[in-house]
Amino acid sequence: MLVGIVAGAALGLGANELVANRLLAKDVVDSVIEWAAFPAGQIFLRLLIMLSVPLIFSALVSGIAELDPRALGRMGLRTLGFTTLVSALAVVTGLALVIGLAPGEGDTTELVRLAEELAAGRPPIKPAEGAGITGVVTMIPTNPIAAAANDNTLGVIIFALVLGVGLAAVRTDNSARLREAIGGLNEVCTRLVEAVMRIAPIGVAGLLFASFANLGVDLLARIGAYVGVVVLALVLHTFGTYAVLLKLVARRSPWAFFSQIKVAMATAFATSSSAATLPTTLHVAEHDVKLPRHVSRFVLTAGASMNQNGTALFEGVTVLFLAQVFDVDLTVSQSLVVMLICVLGGIGTAGIPGASLPVIAMMMAMYGIPAEGLALILGVDRLLDMCRTTVNVAGDLVVAACVARSEPAET
Ligand code: ASP
């Protein structure tokens, strides 16, 4: 997998450079992407995504059906508590760095002009809707099949939670058969994921080649300070906050832990989607980290969509960076609201590529930051998405390890 990542990224960057220096025709690179990198990457990605809905559903229902309701309540509260705590710490780290290092302060006329240029003719990103109480109410799907069909992962999770609780409560012969069938679906999906992971190195190389060959290297250099702040904050959060939590709460060696979860982190990096990575995350939790199944199935399926520290951090840094660039002064209380929305945004953002952008667009509209600002970061978003998704997935596993520490062994 590592070979796939390094080879795909290096070849993609090399192709990017050759095209920029007119040593290679852009058409040649586009053909390589169209006929080799795209199919290899997308087949791998789509197989993982295809398995993610049945896997989320079956893992969560069977996980919950095995629990007694008190254990479920306790685990749910702990998961929510850790998720909120680590998300808040992530946002604070990001905001402290973006305020302290101020990558968007100074003479920004150039950047503002560039943003306008990049935004011209591009449809604006639709701001996220449904914040506040409506957002909470509409989390409950009216039709579970429609939720699955429309990639509403949160809806699937909520339905699975409710069905799992029902299965735990109803102890009849028929319900036992249903529980067995859903357990069987889970075993089959798990095995299929193992099979898909065999083509991971090729798929990952394809995904990375396509991303890096199209990376806006020129743009990257111009907003390098912002990219640097995002990456630095993500690194500090991962090797600072996560490492402390692992040591103090989960009582595990952080280095051993990161080494055990490297395949999940690499898959997240390559796919930019926590939902697509979930099958691998579950596999790694069980086989490499050796977390109890009833904990990992519950915490990780819920976490893939609800515990997104990297996303929360990224949203905060980006909104404040764009406010600096466009000279919009945010008061302390406005910055605190940004922080709160980012923590909630981390919970409400879907685990798919680019899902942060509508949340950022919504905050920009709230504070009068010109919408074209977002165009400035779109060219580097894929790279940052890879980085923040890696942190999201690592965060799910860290929270699972922390919750597992205080849970009795499997029942
Ligand atoms: N791509 C991220 C994830 O799947 C979500 C985002 O920040 O866009 O975790």
Side-chain angles (χ1 to χ4, degrees), residues 272-275 308 311 349-356 385 388-389 392:
S272 302
S273 164
S274 337
Q308 300 192 337
T311 291
T349 311
I352 53 170
S356 304
D385 203 354
R388 64 183 186 257
T389 308
N392 289 344

Side-chain angles (χ1 to χ4, degrees), residues 62-69 71-72 75 168 171 294 298 407 411:
S62 10
I64 290 171
E66 284 167 14
L67 291 175
D68 86 78
L72 176 64
M75 227 154 68
R171 298 278 171 188
H294 66 294
F298 174 76
E407 276 303 312
T411 46

